Amino acid sequence: MPRTVPFTKGHGTGNDFVLIADPDGELDLTDDQVAALCDRHFGIGADGMLRVVRSTAIDEGAAAAASGAEWFMDYRNADGSKAEMCGNGTRVFARYLLETGLAGIDDGLSIGTRAGVKRLTRSDDGFEVDLGPFAIAPDETLVRARGLPVARPGVGVDVGNPHVVVALSSVSELADLDLAYQPLLDPAPRAGANVEFVVPEDPLVRDGVGAIRMRVFERGVGETLSCGTGVAAAALAVRHWAGAAAPDRWIVDVPGGRLGVRVSGESVLLSGPASLVYTGEVALA
């Protein structure tokens, strides 16, 4: 008989996840099993899966365990593929740890990921996660997308996972994008990339805080209502384009809500809400 496991459904600004607790690393989920769980027609439905496992119980968690991070976020895309990191996922993961009593956050909470250990603290709207150092690529990437009449240049931004950010001219141009089709990148990154399309608000900066709107196509998933690392990448790209006078604080509106971005030295931090929606049991495919 198929194995039945408990699960929790959660989301951060509409970026939704299936969480499965596997503290001792006993589950060896295949790509197909993860994809079945995330299927919106035949499964629970989600943009990805978060396996809650102790850092000592997963080979990729050795460095996290050595740094004192008890828990590792084994994040998988909706197609089952492994991903380095998920900004919204870290906040939902933290919410789960707190509400199930597996961890506290009084002095901060460290979580292991494939992109290193990420530290979370409470914020006014939920949690803030330090995504760590970021890098902006020196060369442009040409992006073709359904709904754009001509290809547009994009800038590569690495925030633990790869992104390409494209600036658009208007809200209507952003709305006209058909992200049911995957954008094409030239040159194509070897491991793929999430692609963000952004429009600056008018004015771009108000009271020292920048503001933009964004839509995103996530590799291995498709268009999502929100992407935490994508939000950070989009703010960093617009900040880069705006020049030396650009602010370090940004508000980013996505279809699923609003997130905050803060640049501190060489690191970028992401803040926003995280919710757990329901629990249940599911038979693994």
Side-chain angles (χ1 to χ4, degrees):
M1 293 180 62
R3 180 174 181 177
T4 299
V5 297
F7 73 90
T8 297
K9 179 71 179 287
H11 77 91
T13 54
N15 196 189
D16 59 344
F17 309 96
V18 175
L19 295 98
I20 292 182
D22 182 27
D24 299 320
E26 298 174 343
L27 291 176
D28 184 17
L29 297 173
T30 67
D31 292 358
D32 287 343
Q33 285 176 315
V34 174
L37 290 172
C38 295
D39 190 289
R40 295 193 182 278
H41 300 287
F42 298 100
I44 300 166
D47 294 326
M49 188 205 75
L50 307 176
R51 183 167 67 114
V52 183
V53 59
R54 285 192 172 89
S55 296
T56 54
I58 181 172
D59 291 342
E60 295 159 296
S67 73
E70 181 180 3
W71 296 100
F72 188 92
M73 185 180 78
D74 176 16
Y75 175 57
R76 309 277 286 274
N77 292 317
D79 65 357
S81 60
K82 294 181 179 180
E84 300 90 344
M85 236 290 288
C86 177
N88 287 327
T90 60
R91 300 196 318 279
V92 175
F93 193 89
R95 176 71 71 190
Y96 180 86
L97 292 178
L98 297 183
E99 294 201 6
T100 56
L102 293 174
I105 199 172
D106 290 344
D107 299 318
L109 173 63
S110 295
I111 293 173
T113 76
R114 294 186 180 90
V117 174
K118 306 303 175 185
R119 189 160 180 80
L120 293 97
T121 55
R122 291 194 183 274
S123 66
D124 291 341
D125 54 355
F127 301 97
E128 183 178 64
V129 55
D130 186 345
L131 299 177
F134 58 90
I136 296 177
D139 300 321
E140 291 183 338
T141 298
L142 202 62
V143 180
R144 294 178 174 84
R146 182 71 66 94
L148 287 182
V150 296
R152 303 292 175 85
V155 63
V157 182
D158 192 311
V159 288
N161 57 358
H163 299 262
V164 174
V165 183
V166 182
L168 301 183
S169 62
S170 67
V171 173
S172 62
E173 193 170 47
L174 185 67
D176 287 343
L177 283 174
D178 185 352
L179 295 183
Y181 298 87
Q182 182 173 357
L184 301 178
L185 306 180
D186 183 17
R190 183 180 62 181
N194 297 346
V195 185
E196 287 79 28
F197 298 89
V198 300
V199 174
E201 295 287 8
D202 185 17
L204 174 63
V205 180
R206 179 175 295 170
D207 298 328
V209 180
I212 58 176
R213 295 172 183 255
M214 186 196 89
R215 288 177 64 189
V216 58
F217 186 99
E218 293 196 54
R219 59 177 178 164
V221 185
E223 183 175 15
T224 58
L225 294 179
S226 179
C227 171
T229 55
V231 161
L236 289 167
V238 177
R239 178 176 177 267
H240 169 71
W241 291 324
D248 289 333
R249 290 182 177 271
W250 293 81
I251 291 171
V252 183
D253 284 318
V254 294
R258 173 172 286 184
L259 291 163
V261 175
R262 181 168 64 92
V263 180
S264 177
E266 301 299 318
S267 293
V268 60
L269 297 93
L270 172 76
S271 61
S275 302
L276 303 181
V277 183
Y278 61 86
T279 62
E281 292 187 347
V282 62
L284 296 176

